[in-house]
Amino acid sequence: MSNYLAIASVTATLQRILQMAIQQEVYGARVTTDRPNTKEGGLTETCLNIYLYMVQPNTAYRNSDSSIRRPKGDLVKRTQSALDLRYLFSFHGNDTELEPQRMLGCVISTLQDIFTITPDMIRDTLADPKSGVLVGADLPDQIEPIRISPIDISVEDMSKIWSVFFQTPYSLSAAYKGSIILIEGEAPGTRALPVRDRHPLVMPFSQIFIERIVAQTGKLDPILADSTLLILGRNLYDSNTRVRIGREEIPVQPTNNTEIIFPLSLVPPDVLRFGAQSLQVVHPAPRLHLDGPYQGIESNLATFVLRPTIKSAQVSHVRVARNGTYSAQVTLTLNLPVHKGQLVALILNEWSIQSPVAYIFKTSIRTEEQMEITIPVQKVKAGDYLVRVQVDGAESLLIYDTDTNSDTFSWYISPRITI
């Protein structure tokens, strides 16, 4: 594989090889690497112009780099990009003396004989004082051969290529492909130490499987930080059963092989987070003669949605605008901290039965852990509002009036603020 100078090295090598060939056939002819539109304007120079008009991924090597990273993103080996280079050869000269056609025939004959750019050809090019800009190129070390072959291109495709060069008259042309060029990334890969000894452990087990997680009070009830979970699945029972949330493993006693009752109050508050929360059931096995982090039998990863609870809501810095709307800052205190990287949104619903309005105010992603969130609101109509908060899509609950003698029986009544 090669470094970033590989593409330019291929072009320079082609230029040197073809320069030696055509100058024997057409005296004074040169090989250039300009854009074709620089050859207009009455230029009488006899030359072959090599123009790299397209670089494409090589289809045969497209999936060769699919497993260069571990699941956590660490490089196993250096990355590589496999490329095909497409060149446009245009021939300029005295048509009366058939110079463009003579050069075309010379190029076809030369590339038919060469077919492959060898490492020695590339080394000779890099050793040329004119190739000073390519110092450090390591293309000769590439193991894969670089083959130069003509491209079967239609008149329509050729006209499309020339059409991108504004107001440039067509010149006799041919298209060639250089394949394959392997460019290697600069980030070093990693390799683990070799295995020195092996201690296999064979033991029977039944795969633990969690089917779903619901609140103990009902399968459709929301899950809060003080809820008790009902973990339903298969092969859950063991004399040593634990529930893993984050990095915490909490001992539990399954009621049977298909059910575990798990109070979230057993989990440290700093481990729980609003939104999608995952857990596993683990049966730690005896280590016997094993050293190291053997984890025993683990279930699949199952998730539940943990909803936030608003402990208090306060309004401050209230200002009125000229159009009669208000701006303010709403400060919410939640029952658990909002973690770094989580997204918070404030939802306000006017507490009224006369054409109530509603607002949603989104905040930027949290950059630090906070239990108290301040959210600015703008262009809000004066009134009383029911308050909800959304953290990573998990929405807080509203409290409704359960007093049958109340005028607001069965209405949502809190948490509520006044603006």
Side-chain angles (χ1 to χ4, degrees):
M1 289 180 281
S2 313
N3 60 16
Y4 69 98
L5 294 172
I7 297 175
S9 298
V10 174
T11 304
T13 303
L14 278 174
Q15 182 183 22
R16 192 185 69 85
I17 293 171
L18 297 179
Q19 177 66 64
M20 291 188 297
I22 68 169
Q23 69 184 5
Q24 297 178 7
E25 174 61 31
V26 180
Y27 177 77
R30 293 196 315 118
V31 179
T32 59
T33 55
D34 300 324
R35 286 178 57 89
N37 56 3
T38 63
K39 301 300 178 188
E40 60 177 320
L43 183 66
T44 59
E45 180 185 19
T46 302
C47 69
L48 155 63
N49 188 68
I50 301 175
Y51 181 66
L52 177 63
Y53 71 90
M54 184 181 293
V55 178
Q56 292 179 313
N58 182 272
T59 54
Y61 278 75
R62 185 181 295 272
N63 297 323
S64 63
D65 255 9
S66 59
S67 59
I68 62 170
R69 291 184 184 272
R70 296 189 177 93
K72 292 184 179 181
D74 299 333
L75 281 174
V76 176
K77 61 179 181 179
R78 285 194 175 186
T79 59
Q80 70 173 17
S81 182
L83 305 173
D84 292 339
L85 309 182
R86 291 179 177 261
Y87 289 98
L88 178 68
F89 294 174
S90 57
F91 303 87
H92 309 263
N94 189 334
D95 286 312
T96 304
E97 296 183 4
L98 303 178
E99 288 180 342
Q101 298 178 44
R102 289 157 57 196
M103 287 189 291
L104 173 59
C106 181
V107 167
I108 294 174
S109 176
T110 302
L111 295 182
Q112 186 67 26
D113 289 338
I114 294 175
F115 186 68
T116 299
I117 296 180
T118 64
D120 288 338
M121 294 177 182
I122 302 171
R123 290 190 187 97
D124 291 342
T125 300
L126 298 178
D128 192 326
K130 296 179 182 179
S131 302
V133 294
L134 300 178
V135 172
D138 56 0
L139 184 60
D141 299 333
Q142 176 175 303
I143 298 176
E144 289 289 337
I146 301 172
R147 294 184 171 87
I148 306 298
S149 57
I151 300 173
D152 184 11
I153 190 168
S154 65
V155 174
E156 180 182 0
D157 290 338
M158 181 65 78
S159 64
K160 288 179 179 178
I161 294 173
W162 276 93
S163 66
V164 302
F165 307 118
F166 183 65
Q167 293 183 350
T168 301
Y170 173 78
S171 296
L172 181 63
S173 303
Y176 276 79
K177 180 176 72 172
S179 177
I180 177 176
I181 291 83
L182 300 175
I183 298 181
E184 191 176 48
E186 295 183 356
T190 59
R191 190 175 182 86
L193 293 172
V195 177
R196 188 177 61 192
D197 201 0
R198 295 168 177 82
H199 295 286
L201 173 64
V202 180
M203 56 185 298
F205 74 97
S206 298
Q207 180 61 48
I208 312 169
F209 183 76
I210 301 176
E211 295 177 350
R212 58 177 174 165
I213 303 171
V214 297
Q216 188 183 29
T217 55
K219 65 179 182 179
L220 298 179
D221 288 354
I223 297 176
L224 306 175
D226 57 356
S227 297
T228 298
L229 301 183
L230 199 60
I231 304 173
L232 304 174
R234 302 192 300 268
N235 303 317
L236 302 180
Y237 182 84
D238 188 77
S239 58
N240 183 13
T241 300
R242 300 181 183 184
V243 172
R244 180 187 296 159
I245 295 186
R247 297 183 177 180
E248 293 288 328
E249 289 190 1
I250 301 164
V252 294
Q253 184 60 47
T255 54
N256 52 55
N257 208 32
T258 61
E259 183 179 282
I260 294 176
I261 297 175
F262 181 63
L264 285 178
S265 58
L266 299 177
V267 183
D270 60 331
V271 174
L272 292 175
R273 57 185 291 145
F274 299 127
Q277 179 87 55
S278 60
L279 61 76
Q280 286 178 290
V281 174
V282 182
H283 294 166
R287 292 183 178 272
L288 301 180
H289 60 278
L290 294 179
D291 295 324
Y294 178 63
Q295 301 295 331
I297 306 172
E298 302 175 347
S299 74
N300 58 306
L301 200 63
T303 60
F304 62 93
V305 177
L306 181 63
R307 296 203 185 198
T309 299
I310 300 175
K311 297 178 67 176
S312 67
Q314 297 179 345
V315 180
S316 62
H317 300 87
V318 180
R319 295 183 179 180
V320 60
R322 293 182 179 179
N323 59 2
T325 61
Y326 288 79
S327 64
Q329 290 188 353
V330 179
T331 302
L332 305 178
T333 302
L334 307 182
N335 61 322
L336 291 175
V338 176
H339 289 260
K340 180 180 178 180
Q342 293 195 293
L343 186 62
V344 179
L346 173 68
I347 305 173
L348 300 180
N349 292 88
E350 187 179 12
W351 197 61
S352 171
I353 59 174
Q354 301 294 329
S355 302
V357 295
Y359 305 95
I360 298 179
F361 299 96
K362 294 183 178 180
T363 65
S364 57
I365 294 176
R366 298 289 99 183
T367 57
E368 57 183 352
E369 194 173 289
Q370 294 175 317
M371 290 187 66
E372 191 173 270
I373 307 295
T374 299
I375 304 170
V377 300
Q378 296 178 341
K379 299 179 180 179
V380 177
K381 171 185 171 184
D384 292 340
Y385 291 91
L386 295 168
V387 181
R388 286 173 290 165
V389 66
Q390 233 181 39
V391 182
D392 280 357
E395 190 175 294
S396 64
L397 301 178
L398 294 173
I399 299 173
Y400 63 92
D401 191 352
T402 57
D403 184 0
T404 56
N405 297 319
S406 173
D407 293 337
T408 58
F409 173 64
S410 197
W411 285 24
Y412 288 121
I413 55 174
S414 68
R416 201 167 73 206
I417 60 173
T418 300
I419 297 179

